[in-house]
Structures are given as structure tokens and as C-alpha cells.
């Protein structure tokens, strides 16, 4: 086979273990997955009500233009309908962007550690990946600017950043955007936008008009609780969207995903409720870390990354035995740390109890 040289030796994305597999492996009746930053409170009850009576014609292709969902999102976000592109999750949009802009001889700039799919998709296209280490968990914007040259096509900004959880403050971000060459696309990945509660953060949609080389990515997979339906969207100027749209697969969302996403975006009361519950849950983890003097990264998301002062792979394995699936920092470029999705109040309390047991066993706590 004449495989692309750049994919030789590449490994596929490795998600957290499925609940059912962990139940079988360890003989557990109950397993809580806190590994993939899903919404523990599910999705809007209005979506649940719709699904109970849905009679969609699934034998028919979906609307490739996603007209009904497009109208709802455009109204909510405050842009024109031709300023939107929809993907099979944000991952699909990342693949579309790299396919449209990256190739051998071209480079792309990103922070590290950050979302792994930026580099992964860039490598598939044969582009040079320029990674700039985070500073105290935050993007080093000056360092990233220094990496941009005439061959740079995309710069990735993940705010809030996965896996560290912090934002790029609005003032710093706008100053950065003003210095990026106009022919370099800046991708502002805001997968966790709905959870942010920080005075230094602001709605970035107006940046699209001020900086024509910006595209914002958002998703229905996190706060909206629709990860299984796979809907993400991009916001940019119409001419940027028109260049990306031919790269998009003709029917990259389903009939059902269009309908549930439209219902979900109209139920902002549910999103606000989830945001408040998440904020309370986050406090449980902060209190635990401060009680035990464990370093943690300030998070504006529905997950938190913190030090366990032990082998994070061992801690990960021991927690699985006790019915909790998390992510080891070793898989995220931060060995010794674990990333935990913030669950319900009860899930958090039980998890922290089990974590304390594990860390006592590992000799971290007396």
C-alpha cells in the first residue's frame, strides 16, 4: 500500500475506557465516567421530551445546509447565517480546517499541552507542527508569535484550554490577534465557552468582524450534554466559511442531531443551571486540593487538572478498580497529574473519598 509517510507510526485517538468494559473487567455494578468532560446532568429536558415522540424520517438524507439549526444558532450567536459551518463535532471542523489549509512545507503553531487533535490532524496533512509550551498552564502568546513565519497557515488558541482549564484573557487575546499576520488563520477553540465565569473573558464573536482571519469553534458536546449526537459549529466571516464549506462532507450531521441541537440552544435556562451546578462541584475539588496541599490549575471548565504526588497511571488504575474512570496526566503530557470531569455533588464526594483512599495507599497521605 502507498500510505502517506506521515501516518506511519501514528496512533489513533485513545478515549477513556467505556463504562461497560470497566464493569466487566473489575466486576463492578456501578461505574462513574469522569474522563471525557461530558455533562453529568445530561441534556435539556426539552430534548428528552422531543426524543420520546420523535418520528423523523431517518431513511432520508439530512439537510446538508442544516438550515433550521443554522437559523437558530445564527439568531442566538448574533451573526449572519452564512457565517456558520457545522461539523460532526468540533473534531470534524478541526479536520476540515487542516485539510483546507495545511500541507507539506506549511507549518501550524499551537500551545502544548493542548487538545491533541490539532497536532494529530496537522501531521496527517504533512505539515510542520510548532508547539509552544504553556507557562503556568497558560498560552505563551509571545512565544507563539515568535514561531509564526511566512509559511504559517494556522494558529490554534484553546480557551479555556484542555487539559489545564484556563482562559486567555480578552485583553491579551486581542493584542495577540492584532499582531498575527492577516493571512494566518487563528482558530479560537471555545469548546467549554458556556462554563466560563471570569471577568477577564468576553464573548469573542465580535472579534470575527474586527479580525477577518479568526474562526471560533464551539460545540454541543459539553455543556449542552449532546456528545452522542456529534454537533460542533464554526463562526467566521462569510468568505472564510465559503472556502471551508467545499471541504466539508455533504451530510456531516444527522437529521436527529440537527433537531436536538436546535432545541438545546433554545433552552438557555438549562445551560445556566448546569453552569451553576458545575461551579459548586468545582469548589469541592478546589477544597480537596487546598486541604491536602495539591497543586491544581484554576479551571473555567467542567474539569480540573491537579497533582496527586504519585504515579498518575497507578492512580488512574486504582480509581478504575473502585468504579471511577478519569484521565491520567501521563496521557496528556503532564505525568503526576490527573484530569477529572466535575460530576454531580454526590459523584464528586464519593470520588474524592476514593481518591483519598488511593493516595493513602500510595503513601502520599499519612
Amino acid at each position: 500500500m502507498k500510505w502517506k509517510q506521515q501516518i506511519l507510526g501514528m496512533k489513533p485517538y485513545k478515549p477513556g475506557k467505556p463504562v461497560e468494559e470497566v464493569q466487566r473487567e473489575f466486576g463492578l455494578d456501578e461505574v462513574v465516567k469522569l474522563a471525557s468532560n461530558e455533562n453529568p446532568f445530561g441534556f435539556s429536558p426539552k430534548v428528552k421530551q422531543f426524543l420520546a415522540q420523535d418520528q423523523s424520517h431517518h431513511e432520508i438524507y439530512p439537510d446538508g445546509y442544516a438550515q433550521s439549526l443554522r437559523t437558530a444558532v445564527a439568531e442566538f450567536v448574533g451573526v449572519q447565517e452564512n457565517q456558520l459551518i457545522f461539523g460532526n463535532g468540533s473534531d470534524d471542523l478541526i479536520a476540515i480546517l487542516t485539510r483546507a489549509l495545511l500541507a507539506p512545507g506549511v507549518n501550524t503553531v499551537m500551545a502544548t499541552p493542548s487538545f491533541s487533535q490539532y497536532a494529530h490532524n496537522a501531521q496527517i496533512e504533512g505539515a510542520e507542527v510548532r508547539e509552544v509550551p504553556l507557562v503556568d498552564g497558560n498560552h505563551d502568546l509571545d512565544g507563539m508569535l515568535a514561531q509564526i513565519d511566512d509559511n504559517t497557515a494556522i494558529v490554534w488558541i484553546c480557551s479555556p484550554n484542555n487539559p489545564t482549564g484556563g482562559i486567555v484573557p480578552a485583553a491579551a487575546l486581542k493584542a495577540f490577534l492584532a499582531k498575527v499576520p492577516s493571512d494566518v488563520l487563528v482558530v479560537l477553540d471555545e469548546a467549554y465557552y458556556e462554563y466560563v465565569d471570569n471577568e477577564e473573558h468576553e464573548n469573542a464573536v465580535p472579534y470575527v468582524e474586527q479580525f477577518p482571519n479568526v474562526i471560533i469553534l464551539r460545540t454541543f458536546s459539553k455543556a449542552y450534554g449532546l456528545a452522542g449526537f456529534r454537533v460542533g459549529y464554526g463562526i467566521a466571516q462569510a468568505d472564510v466559511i465559503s472556502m471551508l464549506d467545499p471541504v466539508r462532507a455533504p451530510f456531516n450531521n444527522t437529521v436527529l442531531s440537527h433537531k436536538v441541537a436546535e432545541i438545546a440552544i433554545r433552552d438557555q435556562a438549562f445551560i445556566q443551571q448546569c453552569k451553576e451546578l458545575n461551579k459548586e462541584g468545582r469548589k469541592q475539588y478546589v477544597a480537596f486540593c487546598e486541604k491536602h496541599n495539591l497543586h491544581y490549575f484554576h479551571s473555567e471548565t467542567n474539569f480540573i487538572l491537579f497533582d496527586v504526588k504519585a504515579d498518575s497511571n497507578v492512580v488512574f488504575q486504582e480509581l478504575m478498580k473502585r468504579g471511577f474512570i478519569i484521565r491520567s496526566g501521563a496521557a496528556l503530557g503532564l505525568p503526576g497529574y490527573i484530569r477529572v470531569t466535575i460530576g454531580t455533588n454526590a459523584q464528586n464526594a464519593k470520588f474524592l473519598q476514593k481518591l483519598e483512599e488511593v493516595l493513602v495507599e500510595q503513601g502520599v497521605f499519612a
Side-chain angles (χ1 to χ4, degrees), residues 45-335:
K46 294 179 180 180
V47 170
K48 189 174 295 185
Q49 182 181 6
F50 164 78
L51 291 172
Q53 59 191 23
D54 173 50
Q55 296 184 14
S56 300
H57 294 284
H58 296 290
E59 74 279 11
I60 298 173
Y61 283 114
D63 171 13
Y65 192 62
Q67 182 61 70
S68 186
L69 176 59
R70 182 178 298 272
T71 299
V73 173
E75 288 176 356
F76 176 72
V77 173
V79 296
Q80 298 299 310
E81 292 185 3
N82 62 359
Q83 290 184 259
L84 296 171
I85 184 171
F86 292 90
N88 186 31
S90 293
D91 307 272
D92 184 30
L93 295 171
I94 292 166
I96 289 169
L97 288 163
T98 55
R99 189 176 181 191
L101 287 156
L102 300 182
V106 174
N107 71 69
T108 180
V109 177
M110 65 197 68
T112 187
S114 193
F115 187 44
S116 63
Q117 293 303 288
Y118 310 147
H120 183 86
N121 282 278
Q123 289 164 3
I124 290 171
E125 301 304 327
E128 177 193 355
V129 175
R130 296 184 176 181
E131 295 181 305
V132 179
L134 299 174
V135 176
D136 298 325
N138 300 308
H139 284 62
D140 177 3
L141 298 179
D142 289 338
M144 294 177 74
L145 279 170
Q147 289 296 318
I148 297 172
D149 61 22
D150 291 343
N151 295 318
T152 305
I154 304 178
V155 174
W156 306 86
I157 300 287
C158 188
S159 180
N161 186 53
N162 180 7
T164 50
I167 62 160
V168 177
L173 179 57
K174 286 188 284 190
F176 174 81
L177 294 174
K179 296 174 184 176
V180 175
S182 60
D183 62 347
V184 174
L185 184 71
V186 179
V187 181
L188 181 56
D189 187 347
E190 293 189 329
Y192 301 93
Y193 167 79
E194 290 80 9
Y195 288 110
V196 178
D197 185 25
N198 188 312
E199 293 180 355
E200 294 187 327
H201 180 267
E202 64 184 21
N203 182 6
V205 172
Y207 300 175
V208 168
E209 294 306 315
Q210 187 177 356
F211 305 102
N213 59 327
V214 168
I215 184 169
I216 300 167
L217 304 186
R218 292 183 182 171
T219 183
F220 285 91
S221 295
K222 303 304 180 184
Y224 287 93
L226 298 176
F229 289 95
R230 311 305 299 126
V231 185
Y233 62 98
I235 309 162
Q237 290 203 4
D239 59 343
V240 173
I241 299 297
S242 69
M243 294 300 294
L244 293 171
D245 226 15
V247 185
R248 179 182 60 82
F251 306 108
N252 61 335
N253 293 124
T254 67
V255 170
L256 202 53
S257 63
H258 285 166
K259 291 183 178 182
V260 298
E262 181 182 346
I263 294 167
I265 204 167
R266 297 188 191 280
D267 189 2
Q268 289 301 308
F270 174 76
I271 298 302
Q272 187 60 36
Q273 180 185 27
C274 290
K275 180 177 180 177
E276 293 303 317
L277 290 169
N278 180 75
K279 192 188 304 183
E280 292 305 308
R282 200 160 53 204
K283 289 177 182 177
Q284 292 175 268
Y285 287 88
V286 169
F288 179 88
C289 290
E290 292 184 346
K291 174 185 174 182
H292 294 293
N293 196 29
L294 300 174
H295 175 260
Y296 65 94
F297 291 96
H298 177 79
S299 175
E300 294 285 343
T301 67
N302 67 335
F303 62 82
I304 186 166
L305 179 75
F306 58 98
D307 185 14
V308 288
K309 298 183 179 178
D311 185 326
S312 54
N313 285 337
V314 172
V315 172
F316 161 78
Q317 193 71 20
E318 289 300 319
L319 285 167
M320 267 204 303
K321 292 178 184 177
R322 291 164 169 81
F324 285 93
I325 309 171
I326 60 159
R327 289 301 296 269
S328 167
L332 304 169
L334 286 156

